Amino acid sequence: MIGERRAAILGLITDYYIKTGEPLGSKNLCNMLPYPISSATIRNEMAYLTSVGFLEQRHTSGGRVPTKAAYRYYIDNLMPQHSLSPFEKQQINEVLSINASDPERLLSDAARLLSELTGCAAFYSTVKDPLDCVQGVQLIPAGNNKVMLVMLSVGGKIKSSVCRLECNPDEELIAAFYGIAQKLIIGTPLTEVNMSLIQSAAPLLGARIFDLLPILSSLTSLCKEAAEGSLVINGEVKLLSQEELGENAYSLLLLLAKKKKLEGLLNEFAKTNMSTALFIGDENPVYELKSTATAIAKFNYNRVQTATLGFIGSLRIDYKTILPRVDYIMKTVSNLLKEGGFKYE
């Protein structure tokens, strides 16, 4: 600990810099402290805080600004507590309840909401699960020789597509599809639903294999898509307006565009015992993120599925306003994923 007076000075400098992006000098600090203190004493305290790595002076005659270490100390020890109002909670609940029974759509809604409420880039990812299987499939006639195909996995992934057929999808055709699905598809790992499997259906279907081929081909594509992990990013361009990032914004955007390093970080985080983490500056394992504040939450659901959700912003974000919103979103998503409630007729 650094003592009450030094903590007050550090808190005021950090708050001021977060709000304005400008350094704070000893004269202005005199007027901001709740008790009388001389400029000389404040300068001595600022010099001490600089020597221990909490403040830096970018110009000889300028005031001080917080370092990366100062942001961590501020969050852990000095940040004023801010609670969400019932109205704010209700707004978040309304957005997240729309797709609460579909994990990927829920995560997508949460990432969009995170980006909106933080002014930062936000992301969600699902971790590849080689053991996930097909739980159910459904055909819904859509008119004009078209059907909607819906596939649900045991892990709760829902994928759909519209298929155009060369014939009318009559009851016989639909019954033939469900028969093949029951024999070959249901319970099969997503990674094993491929064209080789479809070809094995030919002796069972006879000539009708050609009528069902568009549906079966589409099913293999849906299973392949569901089998892969995904990383979706929202609000990347918002990083360009965060002046604190400076030239680092472009390398950060390149990182988000290529995704590979971020995917690696999220996959490694998914293997840890941590459920949430806030990486400040150099705490970030990825070099391009060392000028950022990056938050990640991990969710385990449906017994075997893992997903992550988080945001990336500059070090100068309004932590006392943003972090309570993020915390509430993360907890709400976690509760909704645990409740599950998947029902498949």
Side-chain angles (χ1 to χ4, degrees):
M1 300 296 289
I2 56 176
E4 184 177 343
R5 186 166 66 190
R6 289 167 180 166
I9 290 171
L10 180 60
L12 286 170
I13 291 174
T14 305
D15 272 328
Y16 185 82
Y17 187 68
I18 286 172
K19 290 176 184 176
T20 68
E22 298 293 331
L24 188 59
S26 57
K27 290 183 179 179
N28 287 330
L29 265 170
C30 282
N31 300 322
M32 297 169 71
L33 286 166
Y35 40 77
I37 185 172
S38 69
S39 293
T41 301
I42 289 179
R43 284 195 293 273
N44 287 337
E45 300 290 38
M46 291 168 71
Y48 174 82
L49 290 169
T50 301
S51 70
V52 296
F54 283 152
L55 295 179
E56 61 181 343
Q57 189 174 26
R58 294 178 177 174
H59 304 287
T60 305
S61 59
R64 303 298 205 280
V65 299
T67 63
K68 295 174 183 179
Y71 286 115
R72 170 52 69 192
Y73 191 87
Y74 173 81
I75 293 165
D76 292 343
N77 302 284
L78 307 176
M79 187 175 69
Q81 295 298 312
H82 174 80
S83 299
L84 268 62
S85 68
F87 178 69
E88 287 178 297
K89 291 180 179 179
Q90 181 184 350
Q91 285 186 309
I92 292 172
N93 291 341
E94 287 176 353
V95 172
L96 297 181
S97 64
I98 295 172
N99 292 305
S101 62
D102 183 335
E104 286 205 44
R105 289 180 180 174
L106 169 61
L107 290 164
S108 178
D109 291 343
R112 267 197 307 274
L113 191 59
L114 273 178
S115 181
E116 290 173 9
L117 295 183
T118 63
C120 302
F123 58 82
Y124 77 89
S125 75
T126 55
V127 178
K128 184 176 181 179
D129 177 16
L131 301 179
D132 199 5
C133 300
V134 179
Q135 178 175 324
V137 291
Q138 189 169 8
L139 279 185
I140 304 170
N144 297 322
N145 289 1
K146 290 186 292 185
V147 294
M148 174 174 281
L149 171 64
V150 182
M151 187 282 299
L152 171 69
S153 78
V154 172
K157 294 184 178 180
I158 302 173
K159 301 293 181 181
S160 63
S161 64
V162 175
C163 309
R164 182 181 295 276
L165 307 178
E166 296 298 325
C167 63
N168 178 48
D170 53 30
E171 292 183 5
E172 181 187 345
L173 184 71
I174 293 175
F177 170 75
Y178 283 129
I180 285 298
Q182 197 62 46
K183 290 179 181 178
L184 299 178
I185 307 297
I186 307 300
T188 300
L190 296 173
T191 53
E192 295 179 15
V193 180
N194 50 39
M195 290 310 297
S196 296
L197 183 66
I198 299 307
Q199 288 172 2
S200 68
L204 302 173
L205 289 170
R208 298 241 69 173
I209 183 67
F210 299 105
D211 297 330
L212 282 172
L213 197 55
I215 299 173
L216 297 173
S217 297
S218 181
L219 181 58
T220 62
S221 297
L222 295 182
C223 290
K224 181 179 180 181
E225 181 182 343
E228 294 297 322
S230 61
L231 172 58
V232 179
I233 301 169
N234 286 278
E236 304 98 307
V237 294
K238 292 181 180 179
L239 297 174
L240 292 173
S241 64
Q242 297 186 4
E243 296 178 1
E244 182 74 5
L245 290 173
E247 295 179 357
N248 293 324
Y250 297 99
S251 61
L252 189 53
L253 288 175
L254 187 61
L255 170 82
L256 298 180
K258 291 186 175 180
K259 293 186 177 180
K260 188 173 182 180
K261 282 189 178 180
L262 183 57
E263 283 179 335
L265 169 62
L266 299 178
N267 287 335
E268 287 302 311
F269 185 79
K271 298 174 185 177
T272 70
N273 294 324
M274 294 186 290
S275 57
T276 60
L278 175 62
F279 299 109
I280 302 295
D282 293 335
E283 297 170 0
N284 278 287
V286 176
Y287 176 78
E288 289 87 348
L289 295 175
K290 290 186 180 297
S291 60
T292 75
T294 301
I296 308 174
K298 177 179 66 177
F299 310 101
N300 296 312
Y301 59 101
N302 289 343
R303 296 183 299 277
V304 294
Q305 300 299 305
T306 302
T308 63
L309 175 68
F311 77 85
I312 299 169
S314 79
L315 289 169
R316 228 188 81 211
I317 60 174
D318 185 4
Y319 295 100
K320 65 177 180 290
T321 301
I322 286 175
L323 293 186
R325 293 173 177 173
V326 172
D327 181 63
Y328 187 77
I329 290 172
M330 301 301 195
K331 287 180 178 177
T332 303
V333 169
S334 179
N335 290 335
L336 291 171
L337 287 172
K338 286 177 182 176
E339 290 169 6
F342 291 97
K343 295 180 181 178
Y344 203 85
E345 301 295 336

